[in-house]
Every structure is written in structure tokens, then in C-alpha cells.
Amino acid sequence: MKVKAKLKGDVVKVKVLAEHVNAGPEEAEKKKIEPNFIKSVIAKANGKVVFEVSGSGFISKNPQFTFTFKGAKKGDEVEVTWTDIKGNTKSKKKAIK
Amino acid sequence: MDRRKFLGLGLAAAALVPATTLNAIDFRDTKPDTWKAVSTADAIKGLYGDITPLEEGVNVKAPKLAENGGAIPVKIKSDIQAKSVALFQDANPRSAVAVFTVSEGQPIDYTLKIKMRKTGKITVIVEGTNGKFYSKVLPIEVSIGGCGG
């Protein structure tokens, strides 16, 4: 997973790229793979949840998200975690630039 | 599953969900009907119940013509103080794409890439902290369908 976080004014802009097949049942059948997709992505900074999304197989392969949040400064860490429907999970911490 | 049973489950699920918005809501677990719904109307109903959203306050940007239906960039922006933001489309086997939980006081400024197997409409609903709902519908023409279409 790739995470970039940059402070501009009082807003942190975060880019997330998760490597994942992200295929719902119909697509998986066609590609002859097991259906699996990211069901949730959560980002935390300074102990608070700042971003949260429940996903589906209709988000693109290797899902990309950008979001913004307030309440952090340069050097603070953002931690992004995704979980897929099979229970796999991945986290990444990144300092805000 | 027949429709009556399906709706009944929806009511049961709705009753179990606490009224307050806490962080770390997994909408896939708390609102299962939303994700099974074929039509956007049913998906919205599964998530928010019977609502009549105002058609204002939500800014959605997406290409008018998407060459690759497998990764259509969608940008959602709004100044509304919100609890949640939901994205639907009517081109895939089921409607719900993503539901964002807005943490208290945080801005709505999201981008993501979605799949659409054919030309259709995306619908974004913003649930305001004031209890009102806001919506934006945007047509997208898809030349090569994504989602294994």
C-alpha cells in the first residue's frame, strides 16, 4: 500500500493506493478467481479516525482514494488500514509532509 | 429470497443500528441490504430509509465520457456538515459502491475510482448532521465496460 500525506494550510491531503484485485462475484467468475474486495478503509491521526469508507467490488482494481482532514500538523503520523472480505488486512503509517 | 422477507430483514437490521454515529462503522455489516440492492432507489432505502433528498449542496465531478469503465475517477466535494456520504450507480449488478463515514467536523473532499459495466448514472447522497439529506445525480457514458462487463 502506498500512502502520501501533505499539509496545505490547515488541511492534510492524503492519497492512498491499495494493491488489491478488488473483484466482486460477477467479475471474479469471469476472471476465474475468488471474489474478494476491500470492505473497509480507515485512516487515523493523533488517535482519531479521520477517514472511513465501506467499499464494494465496484471500486476499481487497486483502489485509490484521496481525502482531506483537519487537526494534524507536519510530522504527525497518518495510519491507513484496509480490510478485505476474507479478513486480510494491511496497515501503513506515514508522516505528514 | 422473496421481497417481503428481504424488506423484513431490512427493518430488523435498522432496528439494531444505534441512532448515534460512532466512529468505525462498517456499513457492510450494519446495513447489509444496501449492498444487495440492485436499484439505486432500493440501495438508498436500505441505507437511509425513506428519504427525499434536496438536490443541492453536493458537488460531484466525473468524466462525461469514460473510455475505461474499469476505473472511472469520481470526485465528491461538499461544504455540508455531514455524517455520511454514499455513492451509488445503476450500471452494475448491484448499486452501492462506497459509503463514507464523515468524522466530526471533517471536510467532504473525496476521490476514488469506480467500475461501471455500461453507461449509467451515479448518485451521491450526503447525510447532513442536521438530519437532512442532499443528493447529486450525474450521467456517465461508458464506452468499454468495467466490472468484467
Side-chain angles (χ1 to χ4, degrees):
Chain A
M1 172 166 40
K2 285 180 189 157
V3 177
K4 279 184 184 174
K6 202 172 180 194
L7 184 73
K8 207 175 179 183
D10 64 340
V11 174
V12 182
K13 185 167 186 182
V14 184
K15 285 185 188 175
V16 178
L17 172 65
E19 284 107 14
H20 201 282
V21 29
N22 221 65
E26 294 82 5
E27 189 180 351
E29 195 178 322
K30 200 159 188 189
K31 290 184 176 167
K32 301 197 170 23
I33 54 173
E34 294 239 346
N36 195 7
F37 54 84
I38 291 178
K39 67 169 197 158
S40 88
V41 183
I42 291 179
K44 289 181 185 173
N46 299 325
K48 278 187 179 167
V49 174
V50 293
F51 171 77
E52 191 176 351
V53 64
S54 299
S56 70
F58 304 134
I59 292 171
S60 69
K61 184 183 170 185
N62 299 328
Q64 291 178 42
F65 293 95
T66 69
F67 62 91
T68 61
F69 73 95
K70 291 177 183 176
K73 54 185 192 304
K74 267 186 197 178
D76 288 354
E77 276 188 335
V78 181
E79 184 179 15
V80 182
T81 306
W82 62 250
T83 308
D84 69 21
I85 53 166
K86 288 184 177 290
N88 303 312
T89 179
K90 227 169 216 177
S91 281
K92 180 131 187 178
K93 276 186 186 171
K94 191 85 184 186
I96 297 165
K97 278 189 179 174
Chain B
M1 196 185 297
D2 67 39
R3 188 174 160 81
R4 187 156 307 200
K5 219 170 174 182
F6 184 81
L7 289 173
L9 280 174
L11 288 174
L16 288 172
V17 178
T20 50
T21 305
L22 300 166
N23 277 334
I25 296 173
D26 185 335
F27 281 101
R28 290 205 74 92
D29 290 339
T30 57
K31 302 276 184 175
D33 290 351
T34 308
W35 308 90
K36 291 177 200 151
V38 174
S39 77
T40 298
D42 284 347
I44 292 171
K45 208 170 176 180
L47 190 58
Y48 296 125
D50 274 314
I51 59 162
T52 312
L54 303 164
E55 288 168 25
E56 60 182 42
V58 188
N59 194 348
V60 182
K61 271 188 188 155
K64 262 186 197 155
L65 176 72
E67 284 189 8
N68 175 10
I72 304 169
V74 176
K75 188 175 169 70
I76 303 167
K77 228 179 155 174
S78 175
D79 293 328
I80 297 162
Q81 288 288 318
K83 277 198 234 175
S84 69
V85 176
L87 171 62
F88 307 94
Q89 46 62 45
D90 60 2
N92 295 341
R94 288 169 305 283
S95 173
V97 178
V99 181
F100 301 87
T101 307
V102 185
S103 298
E104 200 185 336
Q106 295 297 356
I108 298 172
D109 188 352
Y110 305 126
T111 65
L112 76 166
K113 290 186 176 174
I114 68 165
K115 294 172 194 164
M116 280 171 77
R117 61 160 59 177
K118 57 177 197 245
T119 294
K121 287 196 287 277
I122 57 171
T123 303
V124 175
I125 305 280
V126 172
E127 180 194 11
T129 50
N130 59 4
K132 288 183 181 167
F133 292 87
Y134 305 85
S135 74
K136 175 80 184 179
V137 178
L138 204 67
I140 299 178
E141 211 173 297
V142 176
S143 35
I144 304 166
C147 174

